[in-house]
Amino acid sequence: MILRNPNASIWALSAGLRWHVRRSTRLTLRLSRQSSTATTSNADHGLTIDGNTYATDSWTNVPLSILAQYGRRLHIQPNHPISITRKLIESRFPAFQNRNELPAVVTVDQNFDSLGFTQDHPGRSRTDTYYINKDTLLRTHTSAHEVDVFRDNTSDGYTISADVYRRDAVDRSHYPVFHQMEGALTWDRNASDSSKDLAETIMSSLEKLPKHDLVVEDPNPPFHEERNPLQTKYHTPNEAKAVAAHLKRSLEDMVVTIFAAADKALAASGQGAQGEQEPLRVRWVEAFFPHTSPSWELEVWWRGDWLEVLGCGVIDQPLLNRAGVSSRVGWAFGIGLERIAMLLFGIPDIRLFWSKDQRFLSQFDESQPIRRFQPFSKYPAAPRDVAFWLPKSDGSVVVDTPASKTSAPSAAGGQVTEPMSSETPSFHENDLMEVVRNAAGDAVEDVSLIDSFKHPKTGRQSLCYRVTYRSLEKTLTTEEANELHEQIRQELVLKFGVELR
């Protein structure tokens, strides 16, 4: 469904060690300083994560930099903005069971097969997903636990909040480890009052939900045969209408809570005047998600802009059938916690969530009203370009990928994407992002493609990327930035056989 505690980051060393020892030594030192739940070993012993050892194979692609973040669980860390955001959302679903400590290592079956992902779905690709081996991976969404939670059937409503892992772009709003929250509510046909059918039972529950004075734009019908189909094999029109109405009222109530808190935080910081008189508006937009139908995205008009907030829909009935609860019917939503936390607290860079700097962490207190983040420093950027020729190959080159889609929230498991090609690309932009993160970690603010050229005679392709170095902790010296950049250049040669320009 649907846009992360070891207790130490791989980038937690002092600045001197981080930039003045060689990379291999640096990784060894960092891992040895962790109270480690994630370690690596040689191929004979496999990969040890959280005390469990997994065999490695040709699918293994999870790097040390990612394993070093495993287990930090910011979403349950006291007084952390991710945790405060989670609790704020949970407060609108008081009867739900909150599942916040599910392990991030899951099987391919849990992450993809149980949700009905096709074999050619791009989410299965090693360019998108961190594999421990061909059968095991780091979850890419909280929906990896969805069928198991439905099967447990311990609560009509639940939320799951967790760290999820995806290979992604390097910029101020994307990080390879981030946090999602999903929620679902179902009703059992067999438990309905004998004097009411299921739709009536759901509408009775709707009447008990909090009312609001939001301006709501919802111009489309509850379902549409082509654009947003009813699951005619499983649901009557009245049942689908009732589930949709309950879903929308519940999430509108949640939105009121989130944005009221954001407005109060802005007002307290002296930034509340602009847009203060404009009422909060929401609009429901028809969408497609693999595991809900009909489906919607919820957008919010706030402070002069439409913001995409979440994805949701009526749960795909075959998913509930696979969980062994075929008599249940309901709705589900998914939301990215970083996206909401950045809005609530005014946090400008996603890397800050992983900071251990007390100048950052001391600003947040879950026992107090939400207040805006106060920047404590703005260190200068140090951009460097790296240009190279790719080796001549018949394989495809995947560049300029739409990073924002990778971590966008989506309902009941995964985002909408084109089918995965059977061809393995000779170069994928996510591989370059991984090289940058492994070499420079959070010292890089952004990586962007600035030029692409294919030679008309030789057919070789040249790429040029701009790597923007900007530490959150210190001003990088020219020597430090150059050293990091040279490590990246040489790693590109070793890994991809590129010819530097």
Side-chain angles (χ1 to χ4, degrees):
M1 181 166 297
I2 137 99
L3 95 168
R4 297 171 197 219
N5 275 359
N7 296 320
S9 163
I10 195 168
W11 310 111
L13 289 183
S14 66
L17 279 176
R18 184 162 57 249
W19 285 295
H20 292 296
V21 295
R22 297 184 62 85
R23 179 180 173 216
S24 58
T25 306
R26 195 167 63 238
L27 291 175
T28 303
L29 285 171
R30 286 169 182 156
L31 288 172
S32 70
R33 291 196 177 195
Q34 297 170 15
S35 40
S36 111
T37 63
T39 60
T40 58
S41 55
N42 62 40
D44 293 334
H45 295 92
L47 192 64
T48 301
I49 303 173
D50 206 15
N52 299 309
T53 300
Y54 302 89
T56 55
D57 56 27
S58 62
W59 280 77
T60 307
N61 68 344
V62 57
L64 296 180
S65 57
I66 295 300
L67 292 180
Q69 302 286 36
Y70 184 94
R72 286 192 60 190
R73 302 196 297 182
L74 305 183
H75 63 291
I76 58 173
Q77 181 175 312
N79 298 317
H80 195 281
I82 296 292
S83 179
I84 295 171
T85 302
R86 169 187 61 81
K87 289 183 176 182
L88 180 66
I89 297 172
E90 287 176 350
S91 72
R92 305 316 303 159
F93 304 99
F96 282 28
Q97 184 180 79
N98 303 315
R99 309 289 293 269
N100 298 326
E101 301 194 36
L102 296 168
V105 176
V106 299
T107 65
V108 169
D109 178 74
Q110 287 175 298
N111 201 77
F112 296 122
D113 300 338
S114 71
L115 297 167
F117 277 65
T118 59
Q119 289 299 314
D120 64 352
H121 192 283
R124 293 180 183 263
S125 170
R126 292 175 70 249
T127 61
D128 282 14
T129 296
Y130 290 114
Y131 281 89
I132 296 167
N133 55 48
K134 65 181 179 64
D135 299 316
T136 315
L137 51 83
L138 297 179
R139 64 183 164 222
T140 64
H141 47 209
T142 50
S143 291
H145 306 285
E146 193 168 87
V147 170
D148 293 333
V149 172
F150 280 133
R151 184 180 292 117
D152 290 345
N153 201 19
T154 56
S155 175
D156 292 338
Y158 73 80
T159 66
I160 298 173
S161 299
D163 46 336
V164 299
Y165 301 76
R166 294 185 197 161
R167 304 182 81 210
D168 206 345
V170 176
D171 61 37
R172 290 159 64 92
S173 60
H174 292 84
Y175 205 78
V177 193
F178 57 104
H179 298 79
Q180 286 184 339
M181 182 176 188
E182 71 173 67
L185 178 62
T186 61
W187 293 265
D188 190 341
R189 292 181 183 277
N190 299 332
S192 291
D193 188 309
S194 58
S195 65
K196 298 180 180 178
D197 63 19
L198 180 61
E200 290 176 313
T201 297
I202 296 171
M203 293 305 292
S204 295
S205 175
L206 171 65
E207 291 304 312
K208 299 174 184 177
L209 295 176
K211 306 293 192 298
H212 60 70
D213 58 0
L214 274 176
V215 178
V216 178
E217 299 178 18
D218 192 7
N220 297 305
F223 45 83
H224 186 279
E225 182 178 357
E226 296 178 355
R227 300 193 311 265
N228 214 10
L230 168 71
Q231 299 178 53
T232 54
K233 184 177 179 180
Y234 304 104
H235 306 151
T236 69
N238 284 342
E239 289 169 350
K241 290 177 183 178
V243 171
H246 197 286
L247 162 67
K248 291 177 178 180
R249 174 76 66 78
S250 299
L251 298 183
E252 288 162 3
D253 172 70
M254 181 186 76
V255 160
V256 169
T257 299
I258 290 172
F259 286 86
D263 278 332
K264 289 178 181 177
L266 274 170
S269 68
Q271 304 174 52
Q274 183 180 358
E276 205 168 40
Q277 304 305 316
E278 193 168 9
L280 190 66
R281 288 190 283 154
V282 301
R283 68 182 178 192
W284 292 98
V285 180
E286 290 180 337
F288 170 80
F289 299 116
H291 311 299
T292 56
S293 187
S295 303
W296 301 272
E297 291 176 342
L298 177 58
E299 299 180 352
V300 177
W301 178 262
W302 187 69
R303 304 270 162 180
D305 198 11
W306 283 107
L307 307 176
E308 296 179 8
V309 174
L310 57 84
C312 61
V314 179
I315 300 169
D316 186 43
Q317 199 62 38
L319 187 151
L320 293 167
N321 295 348
R322 287 192 291 273
V325 288
S326 56
S327 64
R328 302 194 77 89
V329 176
W331 54 255
F333 75 90
I335 192 167
L337 290 178
E338 273 84 354
R339 178 179 297 188
I340 301 302
M342 291 173 87
L343 178 153
L344 278 171
F345 295 95
I347 294 172
D349 192 317
I350 198 169
R351 294 175 297 164
L352 280 164
F353 291 117
W354 297 91
S355 174
K356 294 187 175 181
D357 193 320
Q358 285 303 309
R359 291 176 298 175
F360 175 75
L361 295 174
S362 64
Q363 294 191 36
F364 310 104
D365 185 343
E366 61 191 34
S367 68
Q368 300 296 320
I370 288 173
R371 64 175 187 169
R372 303 283 285 183
F373 166 66
Q374 298 299 313
F376 48 82
S377 61
K378 182 66 172 179
Y379 300 113
R384 301 285 190 278
D385 293 347
V386 55
F388 50 86
W389 290 101
L390 292 172
K392 191 168 179 57
S393 170
D394 293 331
S396 61
V397 175
V398 182
V399 298
D400 205 16
T401 52
S404 61
K405 291 186 179 179
T406 311
S407 54
S410 56
Q415 64 279 12
V416 184
T417 44
E418 296 298 320
M420 179 173 64
S421 170
S422 59
E423 174 192 6
T424 300
S426 61
F427 176 85
H428 195 290
E429 194 168 77
N430 281 351
D431 293 328
L432 178 138
M433 302 296 174
E434 204 71 41
V435 167
V436 172
R437 281 198 167 100
N438 288 342
D442 289 351
V444 174
E445 178 182 78
D446 185 81
V447 178
S448 57
L449 180 69
I450 61 172
D451 186 60
S452 176
F453 169 75
K454 191 166 188 176
H455 196 286
K457 293 183 178 180
T458 66
R460 292 184 69 188
Q461 186 155 357
S462 169
L463 301 173
C464 182
Y465 283 87
R466 177 154 297 159
V467 182
T468 302
Y469 299 90
R470 191 200 304 267
S471 171
L472 296 172
E473 301 173 359
K474 65 187 290 285
T475 297
L476 291 176
T477 66
T478 299
E479 292 76 15
E480 289 168 343
N482 287 344
E483 180 183 344
L484 291 172
H485 199 62
E486 186 59 27
Q487 289 176 18
I488 291 168
R489 285 165 48 87
Q490 295 307 317
E491 186 65 19
L492 289 172
V493 173
L494 290 172
K495 189 173 181 67
F496 303 114
V498 305
E499 179 184 335
L500 296 172
R501 296 176 58 193

